[in-house]
mmCIF file of all heavy atoms in Angstrom:
data_model
loop_
_atom_site.group_PDB
_atom_site.id
_atom_site.type_symbol
_atom_site.label_atom_id
_atom_site.label_comp_id
_atom_site.label_asym_id
_atom_site.label_seq_id
_atom_site.Cartn_x
_atom_site.Cartn_y
_atom_site.Cartn_z
ATOM 1 N N LEU A 247 -19.447 -87.953 48.270
ATOM 2 C CA LEU A 247 -18.308 -87.209 48.829
ATOM 3 C C LEU A 247 -18.391 -87.196 50.339
ATOM 4 O O LEU A 247 -19.479 -87.248 50.958
ATOM 5 C CB LEU A 247 -18.431 -85.758 48.387
ATOM 6 C CG LEU A 247 -18.311 -85.425 46.907
ATOM 7 C CD1 LEU A 247 -18.901 -84.044 46.582
ATOM 8 C CD2 LEU A 247 -16.994 -85.538 46.431
ATOM 9 N N VAL A 248 -17.238 -87.193 50.967
ATOM 10 C CA VAL A 248 -17.122 -87.118 52.387
ATOM 11 C C VAL A 248 -15.998 -86.121 52.720
ATOM 12 O O VAL A 248 -14.939 -86.190 52.090
ATOM 13 C CB VAL A 248 -16.769 -88.454 53.028
ATOM 14 C CG1 VAL A 248 -16.586 -88.322 54.541
ATOM 15 C CG2 VAL A 248 -17.872 -89.477 52.794
ATOM 16 N N VAL A 249 -16.239 -85.245 53.677
ATOM 17 C CA VAL A 249 -15.261 -84.353 54.169
ATOM 18 C C VAL A 249 -15.110 -84.536 55.677
ATOM 19 O O VAL A 249 -16.132 -84.550 56.346
ATOM 20 C CB VAL A 249 -15.614 -82.852 53.825
ATOM 21 C CG1 VAL A 249 -14.627 -81.887 54.533
ATOM 22 C CG2 VAL A 249 -15.713 -82.581 52.363
ATOM 23 N N MET A 250 -13.838 -84.632 56.107
ATOM 24 C CA MET A 250 -13.602 -84.790 57.547
ATOM 25 C C MET A 250 -12.551 -83.753 57.948
ATOM 26 O O MET A 250 -11.553 -83.503 57.202
ATOM 27 C CB MET A 250 -13.063 -86.161 57.898
ATOM 28 C CG MET A 250 -14.154 -87.208 57.762
ATOM 29 S SD MET A 250 -13.538 -88.892 57.890
ATOM 30 C CE MET A 250 -12.909 -89.135 56.286
ATOM 31 N N VAL A 251 -12.742 -83.104 59.045
ATOM 32 C CA VAL A 251 -11.828 -82.026 59.492
ATOM 33 C C VAL A 251 -11.546 -82.296 60.991
ATOM 34 O O VAL A 251 -12.475 -82.640 61.777
ATOM 35 C CB VAL A 251 -12.543 -80.641 59.409
ATOM 36 C CG1 VAL A 251 -11.570 -79.539 59.906
ATOM 37 C CG2 VAL A 251 -12.823 -80.359 57.923
ATOM 38 N N THR A 252 -10.261 -82.240 61.371
ATOM 39 C CA THR A 252 -9.907 -82.476 62.788
ATOM 40 C C THR A 252 -10.447 -81.399 63.684
ATOM 41 O O THR A 252 -10.596 -80.229 63.182
ATOM 42 C CB THR A 252 -8.458 -82.603 62.955
ATOM 43 O OG1 THR A 252 -7.765 -81.438 62.440
ATOM 44 C CG2 THR A 252 -7.894 -83.879 62.250
ATOM 45 N N PRO A 253 -10.842 -81.687 64.879
ATOM 46 C CA PRO A 253 -11.442 -80.716 65.774
ATOM 47 C C PRO A 253 -10.700 -79.419 65.954
ATOM 48 O O PRO A 253 -11.283 -78.352 66.142
ATOM 49 C CB PRO A 253 -11.638 -81.441 67.073
ATOM 50 C CG PRO A 253 -11.705 -82.888 66.705
ATOM 51 C CD PRO A 253 -10.786 -83.037 65.473
ATOM 52 N N ASP A 254 -9.443 -79.486 65.926
ATOM 53 C CA ASP A 254 -8.629 -78.230 66.086
ATOM 54 C C ASP A 254 -8.708 -77.243 64.962
ATOM 55 O O ASP A 254 -8.327 -76.077 65.117
ATOM 56 C CB ASP A 254 -7.144 -78.600 66.316
ATOM 57 C CG ASP A 254 -6.460 -79.272 65.136
ATOM 58 O OD1 ASP A 254 -7.058 -80.275 64.690
ATOM 59 O OD2 ASP A 254 -5.415 -78.817 64.683
ATOM 60 N N LEU A 255 -9.289 -77.630 63.831
ATOM 61 C CA LEU A 255 -9.446 -76.754 62.652
ATOM 62 C C LEU A 255 -10.900 -76.326 62.408
ATOM 63 O O LEU A 255 -11.121 -75.413 61.615
ATOM 64 C CB LEU A 255 -8.918 -77.502 61.447
ATOM 65 C CG LEU A 255 -7.447 -77.831 61.398
ATOM 66 C CD1 LEU A 255 -7.055 -78.527 60.098
ATOM 67 C CD2 LEU A 255 -6.604 -76.507 61.519
ATOM 68 N N THR A 256 -11.848 -76.957 63.061
ATOM 69 C CA THR A 256 -13.241 -76.684 62.710
ATOM 70 C C THR A 256 -13.661 -75.234 62.945
ATOM 71 O O THR A 256 -14.653 -74.788 62.339
ATOM 72 C CB THR A 256 -14.200 -77.587 63.486
ATOM 73 O OG1 THR A 256 -13.994 -77.494 64.813
ATOM 74 C CG2 THR A 256 -13.997 -79.047 62.973
ATOM 75 N N ASP A 257 -13.022 -74.487 63.785
ATOM 76 C CA ASP A 257 -13.339 -73.035 63.957
ATOM 77 C C ASP A 257 -12.959 -72.227 62.722
ATOM 78 O O ASP A 257 -13.542 -71.165 62.504
ATOM 79 C CB ASP A 257 -12.675 -72.469 65.227
ATOM 80 C CG ASP A 257 -11.210 -72.465 65.182
ATOM 81 O OD1 ASP A 257 -10.619 -73.401 64.543
ATOM 82 O OD2 ASP A 257 -10.576 -71.572 65.771
ATOM 83 N N ARG A 258 -12.064 -72.728 61.887
ATOM 84 C CA ARG A 258 -11.680 -72.025 60.635
ATOM 85 C C ARG A 258 -12.150 -72.716 59.453
ATOM 86 O O ARG A 258 -12.502 -72.076 58.432
ATOM 87 C CB ARG A 258 -10.151 -71.947 60.582
ATOM 88 C CG ARG A 258 -9.597 -70.993 61.675
ATOM 89 C CD ARG A 258 -8.095 -71.032 61.658
ATOM 90 N NE ARG A 258 -7.677 -72.308 62.290
ATOM 91 C CZ ARG A 258 -6.501 -72.801 62.190
ATOM 92 N NH1 ARG A 258 -5.552 -72.185 61.466
ATOM 93 N NH2 ARG A 258 -6.199 -73.923 62.748
ATOM 94 N N ILE A 259 -12.172 -74.049 59.414
ATOM 95 C CA ILE A 259 -12.571 -74.855 58.254
ATOM 96 C C ILE A 259 -13.615 -75.916 58.755
ATOM 97 O O ILE A 259 -13.188 -76.886 59.352
ATOM 98 C CB ILE A 259 -11.362 -75.581 57.602
ATOM 99 C CG1 ILE A 259 -10.363 -74.533 57.200
ATOM 100 C CG2 ILE A 259 -11.832 -76.341 56.360
ATOM 101 C CD1 ILE A 259 -9.031 -75.138 56.773
ATOM 102 N N ALA A 260 -14.864 -75.652 58.517
ATOM 103 C CA ALA A 260 -15.852 -76.579 58.954
ATOM 104 C C ALA A 260 -16.250 -77.560 57.789
ATOM 105 O O ALA A 260 -16.394 -77.067 56.629
ATOM 106 C CB ALA A 260 -17.123 -75.865 59.422
ATOM 107 N N ALA A 261 -16.359 -78.788 58.057
ATOM 108 C CA ALA A 261 -16.616 -79.767 56.977
ATOM 109 C C ALA A 261 -17.996 -79.468 56.323
ATOM 110 O O ALA A 261 -18.073 -79.589 55.086
ATOM 111 C CB ALA A 261 -16.670 -81.185 57.593
ATOM 112 N N ASN A 262 -18.957 -79.123 57.119
ATOM 113 C CA ASN A 262 -20.317 -78.844 56.520
ATOM 114 C C ASN A 262 -20.320 -77.613 55.635
ATOM 115 O O ASN A 262 -21.050 -77.463 54.701
ATOM 116 C CB ASN A 262 -21.349 -78.752 57.609
ATOM 117 C CG ASN A 262 -21.020 -77.797 58.695
ATOM 118 O OD1 ASN A 262 -19.968 -77.209 58.813
ATOM 119 N ND2 ASN A 262 -22.061 -77.550 59.596
ATOM 120 N N GLY A 263 -19.385 -76.638 55.902
ATOM 121 C CA GLY A 263 -19.262 -75.481 54.968
ATOM 122 C C GLY A 263 -18.433 -75.796 53.766
ATOM 123 O O GLY A 263 -18.678 -75.219 52.677
ATOM 124 N N LEU A 264 -17.431 -76.647 53.893
ATOM 125 C CA LEU A 264 -16.547 -76.974 52.819
ATOM 126 C C LEU A 264 -17.238 -77.873 51.737
ATOM 127 O O LEU A 264 -16.992 -77.808 50.532
ATOM 128 C CB LEU A 264 -15.286 -77.602 53.337
ATOM 129 C CG LEU A 264 -14.117 -77.964 52.368
ATOM 130 C CD1 LEU A 264 -13.672 -76.716 51.660
ATOM 131 C CD2 LEU A 264 -12.996 -78.663 53.173
ATOM 132 N N ILE A 265 -18.111 -78.786 52.218
ATOM 133 C CA ILE A 265 -18.685 -79.718 51.298
ATOM 134 C C ILE A 265 -19.685 -79.062 50.316
ATOM 135 O O ILE A 265 -19.834 -79.599 49.197
ATOM 136 C CB ILE A 265 -19.303 -80.921 52.064
ATOM 137 C CG1 ILE A 265 -19.364 -82.153 51.038
ATOM 138 C CG2 ILE A 265 -20.656 -80.630 52.614
ATOM 139 C CD1 ILE A 265 -19.373 -83.454 51.779
ATOM 140 N N ARG A 266 -20.330 -78.056 50.719
ATOM 141 C CA ARG A 266 -21.361 -77.496 49.875
ATOM 142 C C ARG A 266 -20.869 -77.011 48.449
ATOM 143 O O ARG A 266 -21.427 -77.451 47.484
ATOM 144 C CB ARG A 266 -22.118 -76.354 50.578
ATOM 145 C CG ARG A 266 -23.027 -76.890 51.651
ATOM 146 C CD ARG A 266 -23.799 -75.752 52.348
ATOM 147 N NE ARG A 266 -24.375 -76.243 53.551
ATOM 148 C CZ ARG A 266 -23.926 -75.940 54.742
ATOM 149 N NH1 ARG A 266 -22.910 -75.141 54.886
ATOM 150 N NH2 ARG A 266 -24.449 -76.452 55.832
ATOM 151 N N PRO A 267 -19.796 -76.217 48.445
ATOM 152 C CA PRO A 267 -19.353 -75.834 47.110
ATOM 153 C C PRO A 267 -18.736 -76.977 46.306
ATOM 154 O O PRO A 267 -18.775 -76.987 45.083
ATOM 155 C CB PRO A 267 -18.280 -74.727 47.369
ATOM 156 C CG PRO A 267 -17.941 -74.867 48.847
ATOM 157 C CD PRO A 267 -19.149 -75.501 49.490
ATOM 158 N N ILE A 268 -18.179 -77.926 46.928
ATOM 159 C CA ILE A 268 -17.596 -79.097 46.291
ATOM 160 C C ILE A 268 -18.776 -79.917 45.629
ATOM 161 O O ILE A 268 -18.694 -80.286 44.475
ATOM 162 C CB ILE A 268 -16.827 -80.009 47.212
ATOM 163 C CG1 ILE A 268 -15.668 -79.231 47.854
ATOM 164 C CG2 ILE A 268 -16.346 -81.252 46.510
ATOM 165 C CD1 ILE A 268 -15.027 -79.976 49.025
ATOM 166 N N ALA A 269 -19.845 -80.105 46.334
ATOM 167 C CA ALA A 269 -20.962 -80.874 45.863
ATOM 168 C C ALA A 269 -21.690 -80.180 44.773
ATOM 169 O O ALA A 269 -22.166 -80.782 43.827
ATOM 170 C CB ALA A 269 -21.962 -81.125 47.048
ATOM 171 N N ARG A 270 -21.712 -78.856 44.811
ATOM 172 C CA ARG A 270 -22.355 -78.069 43.683
ATOM 173 C C ARG A 270 -21.717 -78.352 42.401
ATOM 174 O O ARG A 270 -22.360 -78.371 41.288
ATOM 175 C CB ARG A 270 -22.342 -76.556 43.975
ATOM 176 C CG ARG A 270 -23.435 -76.094 44.889
ATOM 177 C CD ARG A 270 -23.664 -74.618 44.889
ATOM 178 N NE ARG A 270 -22.557 -73.916 45.440
ATOM 179 C CZ ARG A 270 -22.397 -73.551 46.737
ATOM 180 N NH1 ARG A 270 -23.316 -73.869 47.572
ATOM 181 N NH2 ARG A 270 -21.330 -72.903 47.135
ATOM 182 N N ILE A 271 -20.391 -78.602 42.325
ATOM 183 C CA ILE A 271 -19.613 -78.824 41.131
ATOM 184 C C ILE A 271 -20.148 -80.092 40.475
ATOM 185 O O ILE A 271 -20.226 -80.219 39.254
ATOM 186 C CB ILE A 271 -18.114 -78.845 41.401
ATOM 187 C CG1 ILE A 271 -17.641 -77.488 41.780
ATOM 188 C CG2 ILE A 271 -17.399 -79.353 40.127
ATOM 189 C CD1 ILE A 271 -16.193 -77.452 42.276
ATOM 190 N N VAL A 272 -20.482 -81.082 41.283
ATOM 191 C CA VAL A 272 -20.982 -82.375 40.710
ATOM 192 C C VAL A 272 -22.491 -82.446 40.638
ATOM 193 O O VAL A 272 -23.034 -83.593 40.557
ATOM 194 C CB VAL A 272 -20.363 -83.605 41.491
ATOM 195 C CG1 VAL A 272 -18.796 -83.621 41.252
ATOM 196 C CG2 VAL A 272 -20.764 -83.505 42.976
ATOM 197 N N GLY A 273 -23.156 -81.355 40.785
ATOM 198 C CA GLY A 273 -24.581 -81.273 40.664
ATOM 199 C C GLY A 273 -25.356 -81.836 41.823
ATOM 200 O O GLY A 273 -26.357 -82.447 41.653
ATOM 201 N N GLY A 274 -24.836 -81.618 43.020
ATOM 202 C CA GLY A 274 -25.489 -82.091 44.182
ATOM 203 C C GLY A 274 -25.469 -81.171 45.351
ATOM 204 O O GLY A 274 -25.149 -79.956 45.218
ATOM 205 N N GLY A 275 -25.657 -81.736 46.521
ATOM 206 C CA GLY A 275 -25.703 -80.955 47.738
ATOM 207 C C GLY A 275 -25.479 -81.922 48.920
ATOM 208 O O GLY A 275 -25.490 -83.151 48.744
ATOM 209 N N GLY A 276 -25.257 -81.329 50.092
ATOM 210 C CA GLY A 276 -25.023 -82.168 51.233
ATOM 211 C C GLY A 276 -24.879 -81.299 52.442
ATOM 212 O O GLY A 276 -25.066 -80.110 52.467
ATOM 213 N N GLY A 277 -24.475 -81.915 53.539
ATOM 214 C CA GLY A 277 -24.338 -81.222 54.797
ATOM 215 C C GLY A 277 -23.831 -82.213 55.870
ATOM 216 O O GLY A 277 -23.467 -83.288 55.564
ATOM 217 N N GLY A 278 -23.797 -81.650 57.049
ATOM 218 C CA GLY A 278 -23.367 -82.460 58.143
ATOM 219 C C GLY A 278 -22.873 -81.649 59.355
ATOM 220 O O GLY A 278 -23.458 -80.548 59.563
ATOM 221 N N ARG A 279 -21.890 -82.101 60.050
ATOM 222 C CA ARG A 279 -21.410 -81.447 61.193
ATOM 223 C C ARG A 279 -20.011 -80.765 60.851
ATOM 224 O O ARG A 279 -19.467 -81.043 59.793
ATOM 225 C CB ARG A 279 -21.174 -82.414 62.391
ATOM 226 C CG ARG A 279 -22.453 -83.156 62.719
ATOM 227 C CD ARG A 279 -22.235 -84.138 63.886
ATOM 228 N NE ARG A 279 -21.093 -84.989 63.692
ATOM 229 C CZ ARG A 279 -20.966 -86.135 62.997
ATOM 230 N NH1 ARG A 279 -22.085 -86.516 62.326
ATOM 231 N NH2 ARG A 279 -19.909 -86.831 62.960
ATOM 232 N N PRO A 280 -19.542 -79.903 61.715
ATOM 233 C CA PRO A 280 -18.252 -79.318 61.483
ATOM 234 C C PRO A 280 -17.120 -80.262 61.340
ATOM 235 O O PRO A 280 -16.147 -80.010 60.582
ATOM 236 C CB PRO A 280 -18.001 -78.383 62.638
ATOM 237 C CG PRO A 280 -19.444 -78.031 63.205
ATOM 238 C CD PRO A 280 -20.228 -79.321 62.935
ATOM 239 N N GLU A 281 -17.200 -81.419 61.968
ATOM 240 C CA GLU A 281 -16.085 -82.436 61.916
ATOM 241 C C GLU A 281 -16.302 -83.330 60.691
ATOM 242 O O GLU A 281 -15.284 -83.930 60.207
ATOM 243 C CB GLU A 281 -16.068 -83.304 63.137
ATOM 244 C CG GLU A 281 -15.827 -82.516 64.410
ATOM 245 C CD GLU A 281 -17.109 -82.007 65.018
ATOM 246 O OE1 GLU A 281 -18.211 -82.458 64.643
ATOM 247 O OE2 GLU A 281 -16.998 -81.068 65.788
#
């Protein structure tokens, strides 16, 4: 899985926060930067 968020949205929707619950559904985990 990959999540990308444009810089103008990262204060409200951070990629590293969004990917965690998505990854849990497929039995995994992950992380990264807000973008």
Side-chain angles (χ1 to χ4, degrees):
L247 298 163
V248 175
V249 174
M250 292 172 278
V251 179
T252 55
D254 62 307
L255 297 177
T256 57
D257 62 328
R258 294 176 283 164
I259 303 170
N262 53 351
L264 186 57
I265 202 155
R266 288 184 194 105
I268 300 167
R270 278 194 294 270
I271 294 171
V272 294
R279 301 180 316 274
E281 301 86 19

